[in-house]
Amino acid sequence: MEITEVRIKLMDEPSERLKAFCSITFDDCFVVRDLKIIEGANGPFVAMPSRKLTAHCPHCRCKNHLRASHCNQCGARLREAQPAKDDEGRAKLYADIAHPINSACREMIQNRVIAAFEEEKARAKLPGYVSSYDDFDGGDEYDLPGEKPSAAPPPVQPSQVQPAEKPRGPHRPPSRSHRGADRPRTEFGAGIFE
């Protein structure tokens, strides 16, 4: 297995510990995105993509982040869940989505990503710099190696643009024509979704 491509997106705030996001491609056929390059006590290191751990609300069974104080679904007050601890006794609030399972693989990824990070920092000082990660952010469509890039969509003409309806906030009820003037309101929120 070989890392065939590394793309780096440098962060704008140099004073923060998070220095960049990264994607790596294995054997020109498998991409792992959202690795983080973080400035540690001994220099930069690579953090694998992760997600926040969740617990279920005792009332509605909806998932909520471990440190949430109220349920996102029903609004009930949540009792503080005791998160699992890692080997150093710290609360474990995140779980890796993808990660190496041995130290040789971890070192290979770390060395290649940090080298690409240093190259990207040097390129960022040049005039006309554009991040190599930016074209990954455009959407979910990718061009396969050896294929011609897909054509850009045609530009939208001003005559094709329809004026958008002015949004209404929760403080202003819908107009009578939308609610159904002949139907009485019997419960909270009746008629809003008609």
Side-chain angles (χ1 to χ4, degrees):
M1 180 179 67
E2 181 185 343
I3 297 175
T4 52
E5 185 177 35
V6 178
R7 295 186 183 211
I8 306 286
K9 179 163 183 74
L10 299 172
M11 300 309 294
D12 295 332
E13 291 292 327
S15 60
E16 296 292 323
R17 288 187 61 215
L18 176 62
K19 297 300 181 187
F21 281 98
C22 171
S23 71
I24 56 176
T25 305
F26 292 98
D27 296 333
D28 284 323
C29 63
F30 190 82
V31 176
V32 179
R33 298 181 68 176
D34 292 337
L35 285 82
K36 297 178 192 85
I37 300 171
I38 298 173
E39 188 65 43
N42 300 323
F45 68 92
V46 178
M48 294 296 134
S50 60
R51 63 176 175 81
K52 282 186 176 182
L53 294 175
T54 59
H56 290 279
C57 171
H59 301 287
C60 70
R61 305 300 300 156
C62 178
K63 286 184 181 179
N64 295 281
H65 297 300
L66 286 181
R67 294 248 169 118
S69 58
H70 291 86
C71 177
N72 289 328
Q73 182 68 31
C74 68
R77 181 137 179 87
L78 301 172
R79 54 181 186 266
E80 190 170 329
Q82 296 300 321
K85 307 264 185 206
D86 65 8
D87 296 337
E88 297 173 10
R90 297 179 298 209
K92 189 172 179 182
L93 301 174
Y94 294 87
D96 284 344
I97 293 170
H99 59 91
I101 58 173
N102 59 46
S103 59
C105 183
R106 179 174 294 280
E107 287 176 26
M108 175 189 68
I109 293 171
Q110 177 96 3
N111 293 339
R112 183 70 191 276
V113 168
I114 296 303
F117 172 61
E118 296 299 333
E119 290 172 15
E120 192 77 15
K121 285 195 313 186
R123 281 186 48 224
K125 295 176 183 172
L126 300 174
Y129 164 75
V130 176
S131 170
S132 62
Y133 198 88
D134 287 345
D135 56 348
F136 258 31
D137 292 337
D140 293 333
E141 297 178 15
Y142 299 96
D143 294 318
L144 296 174
E147 288 187 358
K148 292 182 181 177
S150 55
V156 177
Q157 301 299 321
S159 61
Q160 296 172 322
V161 177
Q162 298 293 325
E165 182 182 331
K166 187 176 178 183
R168 293 186 296 261
H171 59 281
R172 210 161 116 203
S175 64
R176 286 292 247 176
S177 62
H178 291 276
R179 188 170 55 217
D182 58 333
R183 210 175 90 209
R185 290 181 74 168
T186 56
E187 59 182 287
F188 178 76
I192 290 177
F193 299 106
E194 294 177 3

